[in-house]
Amino acid sequence: MLDSAANAAGIGGLKVAVAFLLGSGLLKALKSVSGELRHVIFAPLSQQVSRILALKIFSHLFSLDSTFHVKRQTGGVINIVERGIRAILTFFRTSVLTLVPTLVEWSLVCGYVANKFSAQLALLLVATFVCYLCWTV
């Protein structure tokens, strides 16, 4: 009797362990797929933003009078413009793909804590987060 109960518990424990292992693998696969989908969705948007910025900057450069172009090295200006466009795209990518989801997650967590526990605890979470930001940034 005791052996059958131990075997049942062992088999049940094995099922739970396998379920957790499969669930972990599934979540890792979903993380990878969602990262790829994010790049697929935002790649055309970032390319369009890059084209619009480059067009505006180069049209402004071409509208300047010839003395500007004679006094400056045009190749250097083009390199500076390209670096500026890359910096703007990096800022855009960082803010849209990292900062906004983090702020949404934090607001949802604080709202949940305020709803389930107390507003004071939610304010403590916000204060802790602000202190952490001030300390690390």
Side-chain angles (χ1 to χ4, degrees):
M1 179 95 170
L2 218 58
D3 289 335
S4 64
N7 285 339
I11 292 172
L14 182 63
K15 286 181 182 179
V16 170
V18 168
F20 276 123
L21 184 64
L22 291 174
S24 172
L26 180 66
L27 288 176
K28 286 182 181 181
L30 284 174
K31 179 183 174 186
S32 176
V33 168
S34 68
E36 293 299 322
L37 283 175
R38 181 177 65 189
H39 290 298
V40 167
I41 290 170
F42 284 104
L45 181 62
S46 66
Q47 288 173 354
Q48 185 177 6
V49 168
S50 175
R51 281 192 301 268
I52 290 170
L53 283 173
L55 182 65
K56 286 185 178 185
I57 291 171
F58 284 121
S59 66
H60 173 71
L61 284 175
F62 289 138
S63 70
L64 296 173
D65 60 359
S66 62
T67 58
F68 173 81
H69 296 288
V70 169
K71 291 180 182 178
R72 304 254 184 200
Q73 294 177 349
T74 308
V77 172
I78 290 174
N79 287 335
I80 291 169
V81 167
E82 288 176 355
R83 275 187 264 149
I85 290 171
R86 273 186 273 145
I88 290 171
L89 288 177
T90 301
F91 174 75
F92 172 75
R93 192 175 305 119
T94 302
S95 63
V96 169
L97 299 180
T98 304
L99 184 64
V100 171
T102 301
L103 291 177
V104 168
E105 180 182 1
W106 261 95
S107 64
L108 290 173
V109 166
C110 289
Y112 180 80
V113 168
N115 188 22
K116 291 294 180 183
F117 299 106
S118 70
Q120 290 84 10
L121 186 59
L123 288 174
L124 181 64
L125 282 174
V126 171
T128 304
F129 184 65
V130 168
C131 289
Y132 174 75
L133 282 178
C134 291
W135 181 263
T136 57
V137 176

